[in-house]
Amino acid sequence: MNKANEGIIGEKIKNIAVELTRTRSVVGTCGEVTIAEEIYKHLGKIEYFKSHPENLRYLPIKNDELGRKSVLAFIEGTKRQSKRTILSLGHIDTAGIDDFAELKEYADKPEIVKEKLKAIKFCEETLAELNSPDWIFGRGIFDMKTGVAALLVMLEEFTKQIDDLNGNLVFIGVPDEEGNSAGMLACVEELEQLARERDWEFIAAVDTDYMTTKYPGDENKYVYIGTVGKLLPCFYLYGEETHVGEAFNGLDANLLASEVMYQVDLSTDLCDIADGEVTLPPISLCQRDLRTEYSVQTTNAVNLYFNYATHSSQPDEVLTKCKAKAEQSFENVIKRLNEEYEKYCNLANIPFRKLPWQAQVLTYDELYQHVKSEMGDKIDKILADLVAALKTKGVDDREFSLAIVQEVHKYYSDQNSKIVVYFAPPYYPHIFVEGYDEKEKRLLSAVEQAVNDVKAQYEYNIVMKKFYPYISDLSYCGISQNTASIKGLTDNMPAWPHKYNLPIKSMQNISMPVVNIGPFGKDAHKLSERLCTAYSFDAMPQILYKTLQNLLK
């Protein structure tokens, strides 16, 4: 891209980004269909796709109630008929707009909402940026309509260089990223089929999701090679109920849950560290007892689950760590109960006898196998009926998982206190780009060269990091090839495959290293969501363009 063209490219991205933002596409609404159609129309006006209409198509999500669809477009280089193929991707949905309250009608009108927001009390930093011409406000402008606009412009630019391309460039604009990634997961299987039909080899995926500061006062701009993963480890805590008047005759599941919470929540020994980069520790998303009415009987069942980020740990390893935490928690509670009971006995002048509780921690698969050995195929018939009933009710994936665990446990002959550790959906695999194979080396080199070239032109302090820190569809561009790791997930996820599954084979077959080169802004998913025009429309497009160019040399 020559110097004269750089400013034009930035302005073009800005105009398309604002136009896309004006099309409301909140996740879980018909707006996701509308935005797909707008993007399709935009691409259809490009000369290349007028000549190659077969290279532009919709990819519907099967059995989707809203009829949502992704947009797929690709250009094929004529130089040497290379198999080398780059995937560029972006999500076309946004978070909801309820936070805009009475300003809802302006949420996706960047030219209006900025003025309207000035009537709201924000912190000094946000107020200053509200009054600056360098910031654009509105739902989706940052997360991630600008990123999608950048990819659309890149696709058009590379259609003009078709005879010089040593490879192919694929674009997908997907819905439901803010929900359950149904768009991306449907695309994975289509991409695998397309690669097989056209003899392509995916060598890298390039996303343009948002990039922001890591801490207050952070002046760096980031490019991420690789992406964080996410698991949802859950704990079903089964105690032994008792009347509150005989408190030491039972084991309070709330007390057990509290200790698990203490041992797991924000525990830095569970941070996943790779190449010196550290995930946030697990944080709780749910803690609730499972009683439905008031009673003076102590609680006998509690459910907990945590957001658990990964850089290198696979599901089977995370399960082992969580099981160890549960075992430690159980031992701690038993120790405390005996200590407090002994103190109580001394105060009440009654004899002390050690309490009978014993720590018992099982994974879901261990629980299921015990029950299977006792009941045989009968348990599978019971579960099949339950699954059908739960699907009819349309229950949440987490509730579905818990119901399965409770049902299996109900038929277990051992009804003593225990903790069952399992996974609930969703699962986002991490992608760690270490530079071990040719694909990874090529991507690392392409990005590093692009960043260095742009740093020589601009004064931004651009830093390359290994893991995009926010959950994104990049995770589905690959998954572990290790059978034991995958089995550790699927065998211990009660919802699998009845309510939730991933196209594992397809993900393994298209597996590729990933990079996120995103625009800069602040406050994604907040009322004050905003995009900075500096970097987003000058340096970022250059890094993106040069990275793609380096990969397609």
Side-chain angles (χ1 to χ4, degrees):
M1 191 185 299
N2 59 49
K3 274 283 185 183
N5 210 23
E6 289 179 9
I8 297 172
I9 292 297
E11 191 65 23
K12 198 169 186 178
I13 292 171
K14 178 181 176 180
N15 292 337
I16 295 172
V18 170
E19 195 61 39
L20 291 177
T21 301
R22 291 193 187 110
T23 301
R24 184 171 295 180
S25 56
V26 172
V27 64
T29 71
C30 293
E32 292 185 272
V33 177
T34 305
I35 191 70
E37 291 168 349
E38 289 298 315
I39 290 169
Y40 186 94
K41 287 177 190 174
H42 175 88
L43 290 170
K45 295 174 184 177
I46 297 172
E47 289 301 322
Y48 178 86
F49 293 111
K50 288 180 181 178
S51 303
H52 301 80
E54 71 281 2
N55 288 16
L56 174 62
R57 64 187 74 166
Y58 289 119
L59 297 180
I61 300 174
K62 293 177 184 176
N63 304 316
D64 187 68
E65 292 181 358
L66 294 169
R68 292 175 296 180
K69 51 202 175 186
S70 299
V71 179
L72 167 75
F74 58 91
I75 58 178
E76 296 178 283
T78 58
K79 190 176 182 180
R80 293 178 51 199
Q81 296 293 311
S82 175
K83 295 181 180 181
R84 186 187 304 174
T85 304
I86 314 301
L87 174 65
S88 63
L89 67 148
H91 69 85
I92 59 179
D93 60 321
T94 73
I97 57 172
D98 286 346
D99 51 336
F100 282 83
E102 70 274 10
L103 299 180
K104 267 187 183 183
E105 63 178 297
Y106 309 113
D108 42 27
K109 297 178 175 59
E111 67 280 12
I112 300 175
V113 74
K114 189 174 185 179
E115 287 303 312
K116 296 289 184 181
L117 289 172
K118 289 179 181 179
I120 296 176
K121 291 182 180 180
F122 289 109
C123 67
E124 288 184 13
E125 178 184 292
T126 305
L127 284 174
E129 289 162 1
L130 264 173
N131 289 291
S132 167
D134 298 330
W135 292 82
I136 306 174
F137 284 68
R139 175 62 78 237
I141 188 70
F142 179 40
D143 182 16
M144 65 165 288
K145 300 289 177 71
T146 297
V148 171
L151 292 177
L152 296 179
V153 171
M154 292 300 126
L155 196 63
E156 183 174 7
E157 283 298 306
F158 280 99
T159 63
K160 301 169 186 175
Q161 307 171 36
I162 206 74
D163 292 333
D164 298 321
L165 294 187
N166 185 13
N168 317 295
L169 180 59
V170 179
F171 163 80
I172 52 171
V174 300
D176 196 45
E177 192 267 358
E178 303 289 3
N180 297 304
S181 292
M184 181 62 185
L185 291 172
C187 281
V188 166
E189 293 177 292
E190 295 284 352
L191 291 170
E192 181 201 22
Q193 183 176 340
L194 202 57
R196 190 167 53 246
E197 290 171 356
R198 294 181 173 267
D199 196 25
W200 287 349
E201 180 188 10
F202 285 106
I203 64 166
V206 181
D207 197 358
T208 49
D209 215 333
Y210 74 83
M211 177 270 296
T212 192
T213 55
K214 290 178 68 67
Y215 52 86
D218 184 11
E219 297 292 334
N220 295 328
K221 303 296 181 285
Y222 298 98
V223 172
Y224 297 95
I225 305 181
T227 191
V228 71
K230 166 184 169 160
L231 283 156
L232 204 69
C234 308
F235 299 80
Y236 175 63
L237 304 110
Y238 186 77
E240 184 166 330
E241 66 274 20
T242 185
H243 192 283
V244 293
E246 299 178 301
F248 287 104
N249 284 350
L251 198 160
D252 182 9
N254 277 332
L255 178 60
L256 197 54
S258 297
E259 184 63 23
V260 172
M261 178 69 78
Y262 177 77
Q263 291 292 329
V264 176
D265 198 45
L266 295 177
S267 294
T268 53
D269 61 334
L270 292 175
C271 290
D272 206 13
I273 303 173
D275 246 17
E277 295 192 27
V278 185
T279 65
L280 286 167
I283 186 166
S284 66
L285 294 177
C286 174
Q287 178 181 13
R288 65 186 178 95
D289 76 48
L290 301 175
R291 289 192 300 183
T292 57
E293 73 288 318
Y294 171 77
S295 170
V296 291
Q297 185 184 68
T298 59
T299 297
N300 82 327
V302 176
N303 185 224
L304 285 174
Y305 55 79
F306 297 83
N307 188 85
Y308 195 119
T310 64
H311 279 170
S312 60
S313 294
Q314 294 296 338
D316 55 332
E317 297 172 287
V318 171
L319 190 71
T320 299
K321 292 175 186 177
C322 289
K323 187 177 180 183
K325 284 289 188 182
E327 289 167 346
Q328 183 63 57
S329 299
F330 215 135
E331 294 289 354
N332 290 350
V333 166
I334 292 171
K335 182 174 182 290
R336 184 189 169 200
L337 282 173
N338 277 292
E339 289 173 349
E340 295 302 321
Y341 183 49
E342 186 171 13
K343 290 176 187 176
Y344 172 77
C345 289
N346 290 335
L347 289 170
N349 197 27
I350 59 177
F352 166 74
R353 179 180 294 174
K354 189 175 180 180
L355 295 171
W357 319 123
Q358 292 185 351
Q360 182 179 191
V361 179
L362 303 169
T363 65
Y364 170 73
D365 186 51
E366 289 170 340
L367 172 67
Y368 170 79
Q369 294 302 335
H370 281 306
V371 176
K372 179 83 169 179
S373 68
E374 293 175 354
M375 296 181 63
D377 293 342
K378 185 178 178 182
I379 186 61
D380 295 323
K381 175 63 169 67
I382 291 169
L383 291 180
D385 291 343
L386 177 62
V387 164
L390 292 171
K391 282 185 174 181
T392 300
K393 292 179 182 177
V395 302
D396 171 82
D397 285 354
R398 274 57 56 186
E399 293 297 316
F400 184 98
S401 304
L402 174 61
I404 297 291
V405 173
Q406 288 181 293
E407 189 75 359
V408 175
H409 180 248
K410 185 170 75 177
Y411 289 95
Y412 187 26
S413 61
D414 183 351
Q415 290 294 302
N416 291 312
S417 299
K418 62 178 65 65
I419 300 175
V420 181
V421 186
Y422 64 98
F423 292 121
Y427 172 49
Y428 291 82
H430 60 258
I431 297 181
F432 182 14
V433 182
E434 300 179 77
Y436 285 158
D437 63 28
E438 195 56 41
K439 287 183 185 180
E440 293 184 354
K441 289 176 183 175
R442 182 180 291 156
L443 179 60
L444 287 165
S445 175
V447 176
E448 184 175 9
Q449 184 179 330
V451 167
N452 288 338
D453 287 348
V454 173
K455 284 170 77 171
Q457 294 178 328
Y458 298 92
E459 295 183 358
Y460 303 113
N461 187 33
I462 305 167
V463 178
M464 291 173 59
K465 303 285 284 183
K466 275 296 178 75
F467 297 93
Y468 184 60
Y470 315 109
I471 297 303
S472 78
D473 284 338
L474 275 178
S475 285
Y476 300 120
C477 292
I479 196 169
S480 173
Q481 304 281 344
N482 186 296
T483 303
S485 295
I486 300 302
K487 190 173 172 57
L489 173 76
T490 58
D491 286 355
N492 290 286
M493 185 176 276
W496 191 289
H498 318 291
K499 185 80 162 48
Y500 178 85
N501 63 79
L502 299 176
I504 289 176
K505 285 296 180 187
S506 295
M507 290 165 65
Q508 289 174 330
N509 288 340
I510 69 166
S511 184
M512 67 191 95
V514 304
V515 62
N516 192 86
I517 303 169
F520 174 68
K522 296 177 183 176
D523 292 354
H525 291 214
K526 291 185 180 182
L527 179 65
S528 49
E529 177 180 349
R530 58 201 184 275
L531 176 90
C532 184
T533 58
Y535 185 80
S536 299
F537 298 134
D538 50 40
M540 186 278 284
Q542 293 305 306
I543 299 172
L544 179 59
Y545 178 83
K546 291 176 184 291
T547 296
L548 292 171
Q549 190 178 56
N550 292 340
L551 289 168
L552 293 170
K553 276 183 179 177

